[in-house]
Amino acid sequence: MKKVSIIVPVYNTEKYLRKCLTSLVNQTLSDIEIIIVNDGSPDNSKKIVEKYLKEYPDKVKYFEQPNGGQGSARNLGLTKASGRFIGYVDSDDYVDLSMYQKMYDEAIKTDADIVMCSHTIVYEDSNKEEVEKLFLKTDDNKTNCFFNNAGVCNKIYKRELLKDFTFRSKVWYEDIDFVTKVIMNAKKISYVDEGLYYYLLRQGSTMNNNNAPKNLDILKSFDSILTYLEEHKEFKKYYPEVEYLAIYHIYVAPIVRIINAKNVTNKKVIIDKLITYMHTNFKDYKHNKYLYLLDQNKKIIYHLINLRWYWLVKLIFKVKGSLK
């Protein structure tokens, strides 16, 4: 059994893949396996992977599948993993060379089910880097973990913690419901408050394109979470945390993304669907006990959306962009 298995779905990222894989094969934690799942990528990613397979046969494993989306590739990767802990890396991102050593050591020291690190945003158009520090504003580690980055990649997980969960396939936001359910089931969560995971913010990435209707996929994530709460009554105590996640991931972030999308004609229809979902499934969200945790900018956006002043939201981001 390896100490950590790192699962890397690959699709159309040949430009970034070498940097990603180089950061993994050179980890200071040597007892790892890197499980690469080619999700039917039509580019030259396979040729790039073959080089690493040849040079690091004891570390790199390679599998292929027809295109099924990132979630499907991660599911396949988990079935091939042997590690005591599981990590995930997106193939256009990369990690600090000490990331898995530091996180594994923290997991062993604290007997944690999940260890989470901060991440560093890398802006492709400017090479600017910005560390997003961990959200550690409450006294409870699990609550902090709910409210940190909802992605799967800046964490490691005890293998047995994941045995009952899979990612949804061919959708956006496949991380959110997976991570939320896993956090609910974790007994101990620890942190390494360093920006060890490098998240590349690029124009062609899923969360940075103009496919506005795909933002509605977030509703499927919350359908899944709410169903899970109904089926597992012991976790209904986390409803306020789930509601706060919905405020950000349904009400704030996607609506901002849609408002700022280009060449989209049905913005109001899509936004109305998101708002209707909030009013239907989180009727009392305006009184959520965690609203005070929104930073000042998000509070402003939240209140403008409540007022339906979308034009002002767009103006704020236009001015912000012109000042860069």
Side-chain angles (χ1 to χ4, degrees):
M1 179 182 286
K2 298 289 186 179
K3 290 179 178 176
V4 180
S5 297
I6 305 163
I7 298 168
V8 186
V10 173
Y11 185 81
N12 264 4
T13 52
E14 62 178 320
K15 179 179 176 181
Y16 314 99
L17 187 56
R18 289 182 183 86
K19 189 166 189 174
C20 174
L21 296 181
T22 297
S23 75
L24 295 176
V25 297
N26 289 301
Q27 285 291 299
T28 56
L29 180 66
S30 59
D31 191 16
I32 62 173
E33 62 180 2
I34 301 155
I35 299 172
I36 301 168
V37 180
N38 186 332
D39 187 38
S41 185
D43 64 1
N44 291 313
S45 292
K46 182 176 181 179
K47 291 182 179 179
I48 294 169
V49 173
E50 286 172 347
K51 172 181 178 290
Y52 290 86
L53 275 169
K54 184 177 180 180
E55 292 185 14
Y56 305 93
D58 296 331
K59 280 189 178 179
V60 179
K61 296 181 179 180
Y62 178 71
F63 304 93
E64 294 181 348
Q65 67 171 27
N67 181 248
Q70 193 161 242
S72 174
R74 287 173 178 159
N75 291 337
L76 175 61
L78 185 58
T79 68
K80 307 298 183 181
S82 66
R84 182 175 178 185
F85 286 85
I86 305 296
Y88 299 91
V89 173
D90 289 345
S91 58
D92 52 351
D93 298 334
Y94 57 98
V95 302
D96 186 278
L97 298 185
S98 65
M99 173 171 165
Y100 288 103
Q101 183 75 64
K102 289 178 177 178
M103 296 181 77
Y104 179 80
D105 288 349
E106 179 68 18
I108 298 304
K109 182 177 75 175
T110 62
D111 191 26
D113 297 311
I114 299 173
V115 177
M116 179 175 180
C117 70
S118 300
H119 67 281
T120 301
I121 299 175
V122 181
Y123 296 87
E124 184 179 28
D125 58 352
S126 64
N127 287 323
K128 175 186 171 185
E129 294 186 0
E130 178 183 339
V131 177
E132 285 209 345
K133 299 295 285 182
L134 287 173
F135 183 105
L136 301 173
K137 293 186 178 179
T138 75
D139 294 330
D140 178 65
N141 272 6
K142 188 174 285 193
T143 301
N144 288 329
C145 197
F146 276 122
F147 297 160
N148 271 289
N149 186 305
V152 72
C153 292
N154 64 328
K155 306 171 182 73
I156 61 171
Y157 314 81
K158 273 187 182 174
R159 178 187 171 85
E160 58 266 29
L161 185 63
L162 305 184
K163 62 184 174 60
D164 295 325
F165 304 104
T166 57
F167 292 92
R168 290 174 300 112
S169 300
K170 294 188 175 181
V171 292
W172 284 12
Y173 304 106
E174 80 286 345
D175 285 16
I176 293 176
D177 51 320
F178 179 90
V179 171
T180 300
K181 294 171 192 175
V182 170
I183 291 170
M184 288 179 189
N185 282 271
K187 292 178 178 149
K188 179 85 182 261
I189 297 172
S190 292
Y191 301 91
V192 177
D193 201 1
E194 298 179 44
L196 302 175
Y197 188 92
Y198 288 80
Y199 168 69
L200 183 67
L201 192 63
R202 61 186 179 91
Q203 191 59 39
S205 64
T206 300
M207 291 293 103
N208 203 26
N209 70 42
N210 290 316
N211 189 350
K214 286 296 288 180
N215 284 278
L216 294 175
D217 282 356
I218 190 64
L219 305 184
K220 299 172 188 175
S221 291
F222 279 90
D223 281 343
S224 177
I225 294 169
L226 290 172
T227 298
Y228 190 77
L229 289 181
E230 284 300 317
E231 292 173 349
H232 298 81
K233 304 295 186 185
E234 69 272 25
F235 295 138
K236 292 199 80 171
K237 62 186 177 182
Y238 297 121
Y239 180 87
E241 286 79 4
V242 170
E243 184 178 65
Y244 180 86
L245 289 173
I247 290 167
Y248 181 73
H249 291 290
I250 296 176
Y251 205 71
V252 177
I255 291 178
V256 167
R257 194 176 296 119
I258 293 163
I259 289 170
N260 290 306
K262 299 175 183 176
N263 303 317
V264 178
T265 57
N266 58 342
K267 290 183 181 182
K268 187 175 184 304
V269 173
I270 299 168
I271 290 172
D272 285 347
K273 287 181 180 180
L274 293 168
I275 291 174
T276 298
Y277 187 93
M278 283 297 297
H279 289 169
T280 302
N281 294 279
F282 300 98
K283 294 181 173 64
D284 203 34
Y285 72 89
K286 291 182 181 179
H287 299 101
N288 183 272
K289 68 179 183 178
Y290 295 113
L291 272 174
Y292 74 96
L293 295 174
L294 287 172
D295 66 35
Q296 191 60 39
N297 290 335
K298 291 184 179 66
K299 282 178 183 174
I300 292 170
I301 299 301
Y302 168 77
H303 289 301
L304 291 177
I305 291 172
N306 279 337
L307 294 168
R308 307 292 196 269
W309 287 4
Y310 308 139
W311 63 272
L312 188 49
V313 174
K314 185 169 184 175
L315 179 61
I316 288 170
F317 279 87
K318 184 176 180 179
V319 171
K320 181 181 176 183
S322 69
L323 294 176
K324 288 183 179 178

